[in-house]
Amino acid sequence: MITTVPTAPSTPPPPLPLVRLRLAPHGALPRRIDGVWWPYSRDLLTQLPKMLAALPRAWGDITGVTVDAAAWSAAPGRMFVANQVVRLHKAPASPHAPDRVVLLSPGLGRWDLQVIPPDATEEAAALLTAAALDDRRPGADGEARPPTPTAAAGPHGRVGPTGRGTRAPRW
């Protein structure tokens, strides 16, 4: 005799992790800051893979990441992210470049992301984002906006002729 066991209905996969990341608007000239990242914590091992997954494909494989040594939790010198090795470099923060993450992609370029402290309020994040991405005006509609969560798979950017990232806004 064959018995049938009822099965539970399949559940949808969990949503993609969200990343608070905003890239600078496309421009003809290279920028000092290519984007703003507002991680949820200072745990580099959990936050970095999510941020890397949200970057435009045109940035290529990020193989090197430099972070402020004092700002992030302990992490090994390398980590495996999306089937590739990413080398982590911890350096003291520069007074000219406070909490910044530098991303390197061989042959494609370097991108600098300003890091907003995880415990920042939305208001503070909005002001920091506006200052980092556009020194002349806080936003297209006159109001600054904080980095809002974007799905891990977002629109693709472009790499400009200088090797520095240039792309359209992502949010």
Side-chain angles (χ1 to χ4, degrees), residues 28-31 108-110 159-166:
L29 298 174
R31 298 183 57 92
L108 291 178
R110 165 189 165 153
V159 175
T162 63
R164 296 276 305 194
T166 59

Side-chain angles (χ1 to χ4, degrees), residues 23 56-59 155-159 166-168:
L23 301 180
R57 286 187 190 157
W59 286 20
H156 306 303
R158 297 181 313 153
V159 175
T166 59
R167 81 269 331 134

Side-chain angles (χ1 to χ4, degrees), residues 100-128:
R100 191 175 286 190
V101 172
V102 177
L103 308 172
L104 300 174
S105 179
L108 291 178
R110 165 189 165 153
W111 294 273
D112 292 15
L113 301 178
Q114 178 73 39
V115 177
I116 295 177
D119 57 352
T121 64
E122 284 194 31
E123 183 178 317
L127 292 173
L128 290 168

Side-chain angles (χ1 to χ4, degrees), residues 18-90:
L18 298 179
V19 174
R20 296 182 292 194
L21 176 67
R22 183 167 180 186
L23 301 180
H26 174 70
L29 298 174
R31 298 183 57 92
R32 174 175 59 87
I33 293 291
D34 297 299
V36 176
W37 177 38
W38 186 14
Y40 290 95
S41 75
R42 289 291 184 171
D43 182 355
L44 195 58
L45 294 177
T46 60
Q47 297 298 304
L48 186 62
K50 294 174 187 177
M51 186 268 289
L52 293 177
L55 295 174
R57 286 187 190 157
W59 286 20
D61 292 333
I62 302 298
T63 60
V65 176
T66 302
V67 299
D68 174 5
W72 294 92
S73 64
R78 295 180 262 188
M79 62 189 297
F80 201 63
V81 178
N83 296 321
Q84 71 181 36
V85 174
V86 176
R87 295 190 187 282
L88 300 176
H89 306 279
K90 288 190 155 192

